[in-house]
Amino acid sequence: MRIPALNGLRAFDVVARHLSMKHAAEELCVTPSAVSQQLRGLEDDLGVALFRRANRAIYLTDAGQSLLPGVRQAFRLMVEAADRVRSGAESGILTISVTPFFAETWLVPRLADFQERHPAIDLRVMATTGLANLAAGEAEIAIRHGLGKYRDMVSDLLVAPAVVPVASPNLVARLGSPAGAVDLLDWPKVHGTDRGGWALWFEHHELSCPGAARGASFDDVGLLRTAILSGHGAGLLPAALAEPDIRDGRLVGLADAVLLDGLAYHLVTPIATTLRPAIMAFRHWALGQIVASSAGDDVTG
């Protein structure tokens, strides 16, 4: 990735705003000749003229007008990103986006340990069904259930809960109790966000299901459970979440619970911010909790 010199881009932005070398030099605290030199370097690098001069005035060329919006947007994004980091560093606040189910069963019971180890970091837990936009700074860390494949993100596997296929009693009464995995191939299905769970489940049972990803998807396991209870289709739920509903007759287990490679809760952080001290502290703590936890954790089933 070949990026032009930032000093040249900054000089270009300021000169384009003032349309004056003198005023641009005053803002940049350099001489007009230094500004001219930076602009010449940028023009040589790009191979085009960015300004034209006429009667002591200066104007943007077509190439300059084409370049300016992108340069200004880039500087604005850098300033906003720096402000977010600066604000977070000063306040000691670390925002984590997590599904309500995982927050209740895994994260919240352990938070006292994190606060004891890192008293200077104040956690802000966003337990929401929507996926936070990490790239836009809505949160620094997210914990989500799925395959863990996110562009420009670092994904750490936290917990791989056993999952069980379940359906509402009404759906089972209509379609009949399945004798085996093959009987579920043609059932209507509901999914998590990435729609990959059922394909993995059938693969685990040495079956291929071309239509495994068809049906509605939900970005929170609680909403997925509600869709299954409402009879929209069979779905895969963490065994610990499904067990009370199966016991009380609200759901019917369609097969035994299994562990599926890849379908797990992942801790997700943007590559660009992974080395921030607060983020590193939480990642190391969370992964340490996984190593130290017992096999009987509620979320794992």
Side-chain angles (χ1 to χ4, degrees):
M1 183 169 57
R2 190 167 163 228
I3 301 175
L6 290 179
N7 284 341
L9 292 172
R10 179 60 175 153
F12 167 72
D13 178 39
V14 177
V15 172
R17 180 155 27 89
H18 291 290
L19 292 179
S20 165
M21 290 288 184
K22 177 182 177 183
H23 293 158
E26 291 174 352
E27 179 174 330
L28 294 171
C29 298
V30 296
T31 64
S33 62
V35 174
S36 296
Q37 185 177 358
Q38 290 171 350
L39 285 179
R40 281 196 301 271
L42 179 61
E43 290 175 330
D44 290 343
D45 185 22
L46 299 178
V48 294
L50 300 173
F51 293 95
R52 60 185 178 85
R53 295 162 180 79
N55 299 324
R56 290 188 167 183
I58 185 171
Y59 305 94
L60 282 166
T61 63
D62 289 344
Q65 291 175 352
S66 177
L67 179 64
L68 184 59
V71 169
R72 287 190 169 162
Q73 182 183 23
F75 278 117
R76 178 180 58 79
L77 291 174
M78 284 190 288
V79 170
E80 290 176 356
D83 286 344
R84 286 196 300 268
V85 172
R86 189 179 296 117
S87 174
E90 291 171 353
S91 66
I93 296 173
L94 182 66
T95 302
I96 301 170
S97 172
V98 60
T99 62
F101 174 66
F102 192 88
E104 180 180 353
T105 59
W106 193 93
L107 180 59
V108 173
R110 292 170 167 81
L111 284 185
D113 181 77
F114 179 82
Q115 295 293 182
E116 183 178 348
R117 294 170 185 264
H118 302 281
I121 300 176
D122 295 324
L123 294 182
R124 177 173 176 250
V125 179
M126 297 170 54
T128 62
T129 58
L131 296 175
N133 188 338
L134 299 185
E138 292 179 0
E140 285 83 21
I141 295 173
I143 298 175
R144 286 292 181 262
H145 186 260
L147 301 180
K149 298 177 181 178
Y150 305 97
R151 184 179 178 183
D152 297 328
M153 300 288 166
V154 174
S155 183
D156 298 299
L157 188 149
L158 288 179
V159 180
V163 296
V164 59
V166 292
S168 70
N170 289 338
L171 187 62
V172 174
R174 179 162 60 89
L175 300 177
S177 297
V182 68
D183 293 335
L184 294 176
L185 289 172
D186 296 327
W187 277 47
K189 301 171 184 67
V190 289
H191 312 269
T193 303
D194 50 33
R195 298 176 175 270
W198 275 111
L200 290 175
W201 189 85
F202 282 114
E203 183 180 332
H204 176 84
H205 290 85
E206 300 182 346
L207 293 170
S208 174
C209 182
R214 295 294 305 277
S217 65
F218 302 87
D219 61 7
D220 173 66
V221 70
L223 290 177
L224 178 60
R225 170 182 171 272
T226 300
I228 299 169
L229 287 168
S230 300
H232 294 300
L236 297 170
L237 290 180
L241 177 63
E243 193 276 331
D245 289 324
I246 295 174
R247 183 181 62 242
D248 295 339
R250 291 185 295 269
L251 289 176
V252 177
L254 306 177
D256 292 336
V258 296
L259 290 170
L260 299 178
D261 291 340
L263 190 62
Y265 284 93
H266 295 83
L267 187 150
V268 184
T269 55
I271 293 175
T273 60
T274 299
L275 296 181
R276 276 190 57 197
I279 292 176
M280 290 179 63
F282 187 86
R283 285 182 69 208
H284 292 164
W285 171 81
L287 295 174
Q289 290 289 305
I290 297 304
V291 173
S293 65
S294 67
D297 281 338
D298 289 343
V299 76
T300 66

